[in-house]
Amino acid sequence: MTTDQETADTLAGFSVFSDLSAPQLEEAAHTLEEEWFAEGQRVLRQSFTGGGLYFIVDGEATIEIDGEERARLGRGEYFGEVSVLLGEPPVADVVATRALRCLVLAEPDVEPFLLAHPSVMYRMLQAQARRLRSANLWRR
Amino acid sequence: MEAVTGEAGRTVDAGRPFPPGRYPVVVVGSGAGGLQVSYSLGRLGIEHALITVDDAPGGMFRRFPVFERLITWTKPHAPFERGTREYEWYDWNSLLGEDPMHRAVVPGLMDGTSYFPSRAEMERGLGAFVERTGLRIRYGCRWEATRHEDDGFVLTTSDGEYRSSHVVFSVGMTEAWTPSIPGIEHVPHYVDMKPPQAFEGKRVFVVGKRNSGFEVADGLLPWARQVILASPRPVRLSILVHSTAAARARYLQPYEDHVLGGGTFVLDASIERIHRTADGFRVEARGTTRPGDLVFDVDEVVSATGFKTPLGDLSDLGVATFYQGGRLPAQTPYWESPSVPGIFFAGSVTQGSIGLKKYGIPSNSAAVHGFRYNARVLAEHVARTRFGVERDRPMLESSRVVDHLLAESTTAPELWNQQSYLARVVEFRTDRGIVDAGIQPLAHFVDASEPDAVALAVETDGDGDIHPAVYVRRAGRVAEHLLAGDPLHDFRGSDQRAQLAGAIGDLLE
């Protein structure tokens, strides 16, 4: 359980939000909606429209494609960004493997939020670049 | 009140129903949610006790909204006749009845000055529902503590102990919630604010820019010298984000005043500290979308920062909570605590069962027009899964399924009031054939594995287009199909027929 101030403090500890000022963090804490998922519950559903960008605050989730686990995510990590940035439904399910608490930016809010907070966008670009580098190294 | 010993050893107070003892189900709360659950359980023949601390029905509407006018419409004149199922979409405030006398109670009590009922009209409407339906309620019975024993739950109340394996808490979400701002403890919350006349000629600072903040600002415009609203996040308007949870159009006069430079201010700022001064208050804030320090010397401050659920000791029992320090209990799609099975919720608390929330648009579970359907579905779920009582589910001819579903998408009040949240379900059963399985939570449907079935919901997308959405479950996998919208919201056209037939044609063969 967290209060709004604790949510802002939590966001400050996540790398993508680390460049925001204190008032901006508080604005973000009020903009992202908190959602809670029970163990085994699907958070994002493969091929369903209307998703969002999810930041994990507590708990753990798996990314599954056609029932096969592809990755495991924990506190401070995020998911859903590919589908909201491309405007396409997710290509994978995301399932809570234990009680999961997330802060969520709904799909229509992602673009205005990132444009208003370019430092968050830049940090996300860096994360995507690292993932691309890892994927390229893996393929060599 | 005199107490005597009744049947099964229960203590009976003369004239008061539901004395302490064991019941199949116990419902706590006599607001709109508790009344709807009790009514729906009763119609299914499920014995239960309904207890409340209050001395009359009505719940939050006995006190709120502070400015005496609801934000949920009831249209006295609508495209459908009062008392029909279709009319429910136009009457967001009446509870659901199965007999004609139990339906559309609120419009009959309105004085015609607005299509938003007054608080008093709403309170009278709930009282009239109780009177007409003959609902029995044990008033003046305070729920004080809860414990878990081998055979279920024990609720300690001011009248004695109630025992049951199934407890439905419909306790509202009207307890003041305040953020951790230094000095805010000196400031009255919305729930405790003085009447508007007390603000005459004063400069007033309102903390919060959601509906309660705008309700306060709107109500003070004729009285206050100046009104300033502030919170960290920019205003979200219902007409832009397609949600009744955002600031409603009827409260937007203060916002227009701000936009036109009329003296009211609506600011994006984090409130850093509130000081008491000799003449009133000093508020220190920092701009969020427009950086900079701000200082306000004002006569009055009102905290319109939202509400929380009075959950008593349920957290100690293991009930998981979330949202800014536990303002809501976590819930399954059927409004049951996932961490303490057997504990259910009804009323505005059911907004904690989030559903798919597509495009960030929440359900209407925070308001009567949403949670009245949740309550009826919950009653059916409890009756079916805990007591083996199944509502009659009619069979459908395969040739009628497409027409049936498209008619539902056009006029079913459950689907319009609870978009992307409740769905009409038709099952294709190997043992029985095609069955109308009624209204179900969409989040339950899409994650259940059987039987083969189709669920139809009404949805609004990120661009504001309203259309039917079809979810088809085959062999445990669910596929989404979005049907075409229609400018007049009639989804029974040839385009939708072809799309739906294409999506489920194989199941109809």
Side-chain angles (χ1 to χ4, degrees):
Chain A
M1 297 198 302
T2 59
T3 64
D4 53 335
Q5 186 55 53
E6 287 167 342
T7 300
D9 293 344
T10 298
L11 289 175
F14 293 173
S15 61
V16 292
F17 295 100
S18 58
D19 301 318
L20 296 185
S21 66
Q24 287 175 319
L25 283 167
E26 198 164 334
E27 180 207 348
H30 281 76
T31 301
L32 277 68
E33 300 276 352
E34 186 179 330
E35 296 188 20
W36 190 96
F37 303 90
E39 178 182 339
Q41 190 175 347
R42 282 201 291 174
V43 181
L44 278 182
R45 296 168 178 86
Q46 191 172 338
S47 303
F48 280 25
T49 55
L53 176 55
Y54 291 72
F55 298 89
I56 297 177
V57 176
D58 287 315
E60 189 181 66
T62 56
I63 298 175
E64 301 178 5
I65 298 178
D66 296 329
E68 183 182 330
E69 182 178 327
R70 299 297 183 92
R72 198 164 274 252
L73 303 174
R75 178 178 165 84
E77 296 184 285
Y78 54 90
F79 57 88
E81 77 282 11
V82 174
S83 64
V84 295
L85 289 172
L86 297 178
E88 297 173 352
V91 296
D93 285 326
V94 177
V95 183
T97 52
R98 53 190 164 90
L100 179 73
R101 200 159 56 83
C102 295
L103 292 169
V104 187
L105 200 52
E107 184 176 312
D109 296 332
V110 172
E111 182 179 344
F113 184 86
L114 292 180
L115 292 176
H117 303 89
S119 65
V120 176
M121 184 153 51
Y122 183 73
R123 292 279 187 175
M124 286 181 67
L125 267 175
Q126 285 183 313
Q128 294 297 334
R130 287 191 200 97
R131 289 179 190 175
L132 187 60
R133 182 183 62 186
S134 299
N136 286 338
L137 287 172
W138 183 79
R139 290 167 65 180
R140 285 206 315 216
Chain B
M1 186 167 290
E2 187 182 356
V4 297
T5 302
E7 291 180 18
R10 290 173 181 163
T11 301
V12 179
D13 299 329
R16 296 176 77 204
F18 309 129
R22 171 166 286 281
Y23 293 87
V25 180
V26 173
V27 180
V28 181
S30 59
L35 299 180
Q36 187 68 61
V37 168
S38 178
Y39 177 85
S40 299
L41 284 171
R43 301 296 294 199
L44 291 159
I46 305 300
E47 186 190 352
H48 62 280
L50 175 57
I51 63 173
T52 178
V53 66
D54 291 338
D55 56 12
M60 67 162 278
F61 296 108
R62 303 180 71 218
R63 288 183 65 197
F64 304 117
V66 166
F67 288 90
E68 297 283 334
R69 187 66 70 177
L70 274 59
I71 55 173
T72 44
W73 70 48
T74 284
K75 301 178 179 180
H77 306 285
F80 293 93
E81 195 176 336
R82 277 188 209 177
T84 60
R85 178 176 171 237
E86 292 85 352
Y87 177 73
E88 291 169 14
W89 168 237
Y90 303 92
D91 173 14
W92 288 7
N93 298 297
S94 298
L95 295 183
L96 307 174
E98 295 189 14
D99 295 340
M101 278 298 292
H102 301 164
R103 298 177 185 150
V105 172
V106 171
L109 300 170
M110 293 167 62
D111 65 9
T113 55
S114 170
Y115 84 165
F116 297 103
S118 68
R119 183 206 61 74
E121 288 167 344
M122 182 65 183
E123 183 184 10
R124 281 201 297 276
L126 294 172
F129 182 81
V130 170
E131 196 174 307
R132 294 182 194 182
T133 58
L135 279 184
R136 294 188 305 146
I137 305 168
R138 185 176 185 86
Y139 296 109
C141 180
R142 180 184 295 278
W143 160 54
E144 295 173 338
T146 323
R147 66 179 190 272
H148 204 178
E149 292 189 350
D150 291 341
D151 55 352
F153 303 100
V154 181
L155 271 59
T156 303
T157 75
S158 52
D159 287 355
E161 290 191 342
Y162 288 79
R163 294 168 182 271
S164 181
S165 298
H166 316 95
V167 184
V168 182
F169 289 97
S170 184
V171 290
M173 195 181 177
T174 54
E175 217 168 65
W177 182 83
T178 48
S180 49
I181 298 170
I184 202 164
E185 65 275 13
H186 304 305
V187 170
H189 188 274
Y190 168 93
V191 303
D192 298 316
M193 73 175 287
K194 293 176 281 192
Q197 295 85 340
F199 295 84
E200 184 171 5
K202 294 186 174 178
R203 192 177 192 219
V204 184
F205 192 97
V206 180
V207 183
K209 300 203 300 278
R210 298 196 184 211
N211 274 312
S212 62
F214 273 99
E215 181 196 347
V216 170
D218 187 61
L220 294 185
L221 282 181
W223 296 97
R225 177 162 51 96
Q226 184 173 44
V227 180
I228 302 154
L229 297 99
S231 67
R233 184 174 85 164
V235 176
R236 291 169 67 83
L237 305 179
S238 64
I239 52 177
L240 297 182
V241 300
H242 323 294
S243 164
T244 56
R248 297 296 301 283
R250 62 174 295 247
Y251 285 151
L252 290 190
Q253 195 54 50
Y255 193 70
E256 186 192 75
D257 193 313
H258 161 71
V259 169
L260 298 180
T264 298
F265 289 100
V266 179
L267 303 173
D268 303 333
S270 73
I271 315 302
E272 301 293 307
R273 183 174 295 277
I274 301 170
H275 305 273
R276 267 193 180 284
T277 62
D279 300 325
F281 296 90
R282 169 166 285 193
V283 180
E284 296 174 1
R286 295 176 70 188
T288 54
T289 56
R290 183 173 180 170
D293 292 340
L294 299 161
V295 177
F296 304 91
D297 289 310
V298 296
D299 302 304
E300 301 278 359
V301 181
V302 177
S303 171
T305 48
F307 311 94
K308 64 181 179 181
T309 311
L311 290 173
D313 59 358
L314 293 184
S315 292
D316 298 336
L317 200 69
V319 169
T321 61
F322 73 112
Y323 185 36
Q324 293 180 320
R327 291 166 68 178
L328 284 167
Q331 292 157 66
T332 70
Y334 275 109
W335 309 286
E336 186 172 14
S337 168
S339 53
V340 185
I343 297 286
F344 294 89
F345 297 94
S348 57
V349 189
T350 55
Q351 65 189 285
S353 177
I354 290 169
L356 271 60
K357 203 177 179 181
K358 295 177 81 170
Y359 299 99
I361 301 172
S363 72
N364 283 324
S365 297
V368 173
H369 60 292
F371 70 62
R372 62 187 180 182
Y373 297 105
N374 299 353
R376 189 165 66 184
V377 173
L378 170 63
E380 292 176 359
H381 172 73
V382 169
R384 183 177 67 255
T385 59
R386 305 307 209 275
F387 300 98
V389 175
E390 182 91 48
R391 186 177 279 281
D392 183 39
R393 298 298 183 196
M395 306 293 293
L396 287 172
E397 296 288 335
S398 63
S399 61
R400 286 195 54 236
V401 172
V402 168
D403 286 344
H404 173 63
L405 288 173
L406 293 179
E408 284 287 292
S409 72
T410 301
T411 59
E414 300 91 338
L415 309 189
W416 278 86
N417 281 297
Q418 287 288 50
Q419 290 188 30
S420 287
Y421 194 75
L422 296 178
R424 167 65 67 175
V425 176
V426 171
E427 296 178 347
F428 303 91
R429 296 186 186 173
T430 52
D431 56 340
R432 290 186 60 195
I434 304 175
V435 179
D436 182 344
I439 301 293
Q440 297 180 13
L442 182 58
H444 166 78
F445 179 89
V446 298
D447 289 337
S449 58
E450 57 182 7
D452 286 357
V454 56
L456 183 135
V458 173
E459 297 189 348
T460 300
D461 66 19
D463 297 323
D465 184 61
I466 304 175
H467 49 256
V470 178
Y471 298 85
V472 183
R473 186 167 64 212
R474 292 183 186 83
R477 294 193 63 81
V478 179
E480 175 200 83
H481 304 267
L482 304 181
L483 307 190
D486 178 81
L488 298 180
H489 300 157
D490 186 340
F491 306 132
R492 293 169 292 191
S494 55
D495 286 352
Q496 292 89 356
R497 285 184 58 84
Q499 290 174 322
L500 180 54
I504 64 172
D506 59 315
L507 294 168
L508 299 174
E509 291 171 357

